[in-house]
Amino acid sequence: MTTQNDQTSLFGTSPEEEQETDTAAQKAGQTAGKAAAQPARLVDVLVPYPVEKAYSYAVPAELDIQEGNYVTVPLGSRDVIGVVWNTETQAPPQNATGKAKRRPKIKEIIHRMDDMPSMPREHRNFIDWVARYTLTPKGFVLKMALSVSSAFNPPAPVTAYQKAANISEETRNGLSDKRKAVLHALRDNVPRRAAELADMAGCTASVIKGMEKLGLLETIALHAMPPCHSPQTDTERVTLSDFQQAAADNLCMMLDEREYCAALLDGVTGAGKTEVYFEAVAKALDMGKQVLILLPEIALSNAFLDRFKSRFGCAPALWHSSLSPAKRRDTWRGVAEGKSRVIIGARSALFLPYHDLGLIIVDEEHDPAYKQEDGVIYHARDMAVVRANLGKFPLVLVSATPSLETMMNTWSGRYHHLHLPHRHGAAQLPEIELLDMRAHKPPQNYFLSEPLIAALKDNIEHGNQSLLFLNRRGYAPLTICRGCGHRLACPRCTAWLVEHKQSNRLHCHHCGYNTPTPKQCPECGDPENLAACGPGVERIFEEVTELIPEARSVILASDTTESHEELAERLNDIKAGAYDIIIGTQIIAKGHHFPHLTLVGVVDADLGLQGGDLRAAERTYQLLHQVAGRAGREEKEGHVMLQTWHPDNKVMQALAAHERDFFYEVEGEEREMAHMPPFSRLVGIIVSGKDEQQVLDISIALGRSAPQGEKVQTLGPADAPFYRLRGFYRRRLLVRADKKVDIQKTVQSWIKSIKVPSTVRIYIDIDPQSFL
């Protein structure tokens, strides 16, 4: 949550504009516009602005208004789209004489969106719940559901193609294979656009247009069909193992019950979890329901789009920040109308106004990318559990390395446990070897040990691929002057600038600031003493090129591909064997299947253990386990080498011994002793502003009045690890409470007791995942 003077990130407005908007919202029904002195009927309309409640509007006599209707209402000087939240608004109270008390004139609803289905009650209840839980203004949460205003405009008609009537068998038999494929794609008699039809038939649009000239196809004008409007469930399935089939049957039985239930689909990397939950997707589609598949990073969708198309005969509807405005409009409207049947998206896809949602799958449920850290602060996995519960349908959490919270819910019986203990087919789990860097220390300014270099060369000789993993972009994370000790830092953040040698610039990975790499120290002017410290993937690439020049090497990181299409092309090249050594960050760590990849080398296995984060050990284990899972996913044996300075660490020992559950048990015991989640509740409070003294004063005032007691303790205030971020100074407090405490009520009353100037922002993070 943020206080109401901090809503700029979602709406793209300045604080002054937000204040104007909020004031206008508070005066809704009080200012100029078409008004009714004593309306016969009032309804409450929630608008997508940072307001705590819906506002009353009069219903014109000619409009039939129901709850959930999308309507246009006047708000200050503008007309905005809102949702009817309540149709039982109380009339003005009467005074002792029986006359209505004097109250401001109330504006009327301008228009109802007649061609758009109402927002379902379950989704409105979900928005209410999220707002209460995260302590966020209700209208701010609604904004995430109404993120595409253009979707309310009627779509323009497009040209589609359908089979011509009475095509003789003789004519059909004489057609080319591509033309037969086009007719086969139209066997369900659903008209399709040329591009969609060509994609389904594996031909070009010119083939379709040629068939239309020959009279084999007929054109029809219709509105553009939304993505994934007619997935097929009767396509040829892959053969499931006994364990897979048992898990799939359990998921389908959950759907038959038509009630809320949650299951953990827990399988080792390469166990075929996707094919298992595809069976549940097919079952939900046969029941006429919509399906949402959440992914932590949309890059993962590139890895299994082809698998989805093969299983269901069409591409899914995608939802992520890189979609074009037109595709966002088509998907949003398709979801709201119930015509888009399967949606694959990032965390924000959870807030689309589904017409009839019947199944949610959260793939890689442990991934920290499910946490939204600004705007409305929420965890998509946890909110998905709530959405399924409110809608009374099943939820499937999928992971080879579940979060500790999910494991605890599974062990306690709250979630069903569906386990896939073996890799699919003949593949076996890779051997994991710990390379003690104290015994295999590389030469100065090198970062790959001799055993790892030897393994890379041997793997190339055998015609296999290798992956070198380092979760650090760029060339070097720090540039320092060896003469005066000056470190090149971001002027807006408490962070070092990262050198990117390919672009010859220094970048801040927190605020986006960048500058050309200086030729001399900006502090002492010495041109000889600037030194790059530590490795990034670019530096490892340079080392591999020097030591193994015959290798075809490539870097894969979020900043080395400019688009999802380019990333998909690069991944396809890797899959086809175009490269011998892939050097990548976490973008390559999960969800990908490379049949020729047999060796994984982790350059710095200890990297994630630094910083003292509550979840450092858990996240390091999960990430390294996922990276290791890229090796040996088919018949060839896999081998993983972890370079570590701490081979006795519990994370390294658990990885080497394949003792996942033992690691979770130990981690759980340590968390319980420390009274930390999942055995308690945490709330993070960040005080942020550009005036350092104001931030200090407000944080001290909050600390003095902070809740303290036997069941609630408040730690801080203290400087945040990133004390300055994007030009804002930051101080933080941390509230820890027993699980039975109503922490939202406690925190809300505490924050409201302090007068906060408009230039200071207070972020409230319920269940924080990051402590930076």
Side-chain angles (χ1 to χ4, degrees), residues 41-56:
R41 184 186 177 208
L42 299 179
V43 297
D44 290 339
V45 177
L46 185 62
V47 293
Y49 290 90
V51 295
E52 299 282 356
K53 62 180 182 178
Y55 292 99
S56 298

Side-chain angles (χ1 to χ4, degrees), residues 444-668:
Q444 188 174 3
N445 294 324
Y446 287 83
F447 303 94
L448 302 179
S449 62
E450 284 291 340
L452 181 53
I453 294 170
L456 290 168
K457 292 179 178 179
D458 183 69
N459 212 41
I460 293 174
E461 289 179 3
H462 286 84
N464 300 322
Q465 287 178 315
S466 303
L467 166 64
L468 289 176
F469 173 77
L470 177 62
N471 201 23
R472 188 183 278 152
R473 290 179 287 157
Y475 183 80
L478 170 65
T479 302
I480 188 171
C481 177
R482 290 174 297 192
C484 69
H486 177 70
R487 302 184 178 197
L488 300 182
C490 176
R492 302 195 298 174
C493 303
T494 308
W496 311 126
L497 290 173
V498 178
E499 181 181 356
H500 285 247
K501 209 163 189 178
Q502 290 184 347
S503 62
N504 195 33
R505 299 185 74 84
L506 299 174
H507 291 258
C508 175
H509 289 169
H510 301 283
C511 72
Y513 171 84
N514 68 89
T515 184
T517 303
K519 295 181 180 180
Q520 60 187 34
C521 175
E523 184 71 17
C524 68
D526 194 320
E528 302 294 335
N529 280 324
L530 286 180
C533 299
V537 286
E538 290 181 10
R539 195 165 190 176
I540 299 303
F541 176 83
E542 183 178 270
E543 186 172 337
V544 168
T545 303
E546 176 188 343
L547 298 176
I548 317 176
E550 69 275 15
R552 298 169 299 167
S553 304
V554 65
I555 298 174
L556 200 63
S558 59
D559 54 3
T560 61
T561 53
E562 296 183 355
S563 65
H564 292 293
E565 291 73 20
E566 185 180 347
L567 174 61
E569 183 179 348
R570 187 71 54 81
L571 292 170
N572 287 333
D573 288 343
I574 295 171
K575 189 174 182 179
Y579 299 103
D580 301 312
I581 300 177
I582 303 99
I583 301 151
T585 61
Q586 64 179 351
I587 198 172
I588 198 76
K590 47 194 177 291
H592 302 296
H593 180 92
F594 303 123
H596 308 294
L597 200 156
T598 58
L599 174 66
V600 169
V602 178
V603 177
D604 186 356
D606 307 320
L607 182 60
L609 297 174
Q610 301 167 5
D613 193 298
L614 167 67
R615 296 178 174 83
E618 177 188 353
R619 287 179 175 168
T620 299
Y621 178 87
Q622 290 165 341
L623 182 58
L624 295 182
H625 187 284
Q626 294 284 340
V627 173
R630 298 315 101 202
R633 293 173 68 91
E634 294 203 353
E635 294 183 2
K636 295 181 180 179
E637 293 183 2
H639 187 199
V640 180
M641 306 177 82
L642 306 181
Q643 294 192 156
T644 174
W645 295 90
H646 306 284
D648 296 328
N649 183 280
K650 65 179 180 180
V651 172
M652 305 306 159
Q653 290 295 312
L655 287 165
H658 294 285
E659 290 286 352
R660 188 200 70 179
D661 287 357
F662 177 73
F663 167 78
Y664 280 125
E665 289 170 6
V666 172
E667 182 73 6

Side-chain angles (χ1 to χ4, degrees), residues 17 40 325 372 377 464 513 614 764:
E17 290 172 324
Q372 171 76 25
I377 302 175
N464 300 322
Y513 171 84
L614 167 67
I764 301 178

Side-chain angles (χ1 to χ4, degrees), residues 115-137:
D115 63 340
M116 183 67 68
S118 299
M119 180 180 285
R121 176 175 293 278
E122 298 87 46
H123 200 69
R124 287 181 277 128
N125 290 343
F126 177 57
I127 290 171
D128 285 338
W129 197 98
V130 172
R132 286 194 302 269
Y133 189 84
T134 62
L135 298 180
T136 303

Side-chain angles (χ1 to χ4, degrees), residues 156-436:
V158 297
T159 300
Y161 294 83
Q162 61 185 6
K163 286 192 298 184
N166 303 320
I167 301 176
S168 68
E169 194 66 27
E170 181 180 358
T171 299
R172 188 187 297 270
N173 291 337
L175 296 176
S176 66
D177 290 341
K178 288 185 177 180
R179 288 176 174 175
K180 288 179 180 178
V182 171
L183 295 180
H184 180 74
L186 291 170
R187 66 188 183 281
D188 56 4
N189 295 317
V190 176
R192 291 180 171 87
R193 292 175 297 169
E196 180 185 5
L197 192 53
D199 183 60
M200 293 177 65
C203 65
T204 62
S206 62
V207 174
I208 288 126
K209 294 176 181 178
M211 292 177 69
E212 187 262 334
K213 290 180 180 179
L214 294 174
L216 299 170
L217 299 179
E218 296 175 349
T219 58
I220 182 174
L222 47 74
H223 292 301
M225 295 299 291
C228 200
H229 55 84
S230 56
Q232 303 160 27
T233 60
D234 58 350
T235 54
E236 185 176 348
R237 295 171 41 193
V238 300
T239 302
L240 301 180
S241 69
D242 291 343
F243 282 105
Q244 287 177 310
Q245 191 62 57
D249 291 344
N250 272 284
L251 293 179
C252 290
M253 285 191 292
M254 288 166 52
L255 284 160
D256 282 331
E257 293 175 1
R258 298 177 184 269
E259 290 291 337
Y260 164 75
C261 56
L264 168 63
L265 181 56
D266 171 17
V268 299
T269 53
K273 297 182 288 294
T274 303
E275 297 300 339
V276 170
Y277 70 65
F278 274 178
E279 294 301 299
V281 171
K283 174 73 174 181
L285 292 174
D286 287 338
M287 295 169 65
K289 299 292 185 179
Q290 290 174 296
V291 178
L292 168 62
I293 301 175
L294 284 178
L295 297 172
E297 297 169 1
I298 201 58
L300 284 176
S301 67
N302 293 320
F304 71 87
L305 276 179
D306 289 341
R307 294 167 70 183
F308 186 95
K309 289 180 183 180
S310 176
R311 179 65 178 85
F312 297 104
C314 67
L318 293 178
W319 185 262
H320 56 85
S321 59
S322 297
L323 286 180
S324 68
K327 288 184 177 179
R328 289 177 68 84
R329 179 195 63 222
D330 293 345
T331 296
W332 192 97
R333 192 174 181 98
V335 168
E337 294 177 336
K339 294 177 181 178
S340 287
R341 306 292 307 285
V342 182
I343 295 84
I344 292 179
R347 56 184 179 246
S348 61
L350 184 62
F351 290 89
L352 293 173
Y354 296 90
H355 182 71
D356 191 10
L357 189 58
L359 175 66
I360 296 178
I361 294 164
V362 185
D363 208 342
E364 306 290 357
E365 65 85 26
H366 65 277
D367 198 287
Y370 281 122
K371 179 70 175 187
Q372 171 76 25
E373 299 282 5
D374 54 16
V376 180
I377 302 175
Y378 66 95
H379 198 297
R381 178 200 62 216
D382 298 343
M383 297 305 103
V385 174
V386 174
R387 181 66 179 88
N389 201 332
L390 292 172
K392 294 182 169 44
F393 57 76
L395 166 88
V396 184
L397 304 176
V398 185
S399 179
T401 54
S403 63
L404 183 58
E405 287 83 355
T406 295
M407 288 303 300
M408 296 299 295
N409 281 326
T410 302
W411 289 338
S412 67
R414 294 184 65 186
Y415 296 167
H416 297 286
H417 191 195
L418 308 177
H419 191 213
L420 305 177
H422 307 296
R423 282 189 159 181
H424 186 64
Q428 299 295 318
L429 289 174
E431 174 194 357
I432 297 180
E433 177 184 358
L434 302 181
L435 292 178
D436 188 343

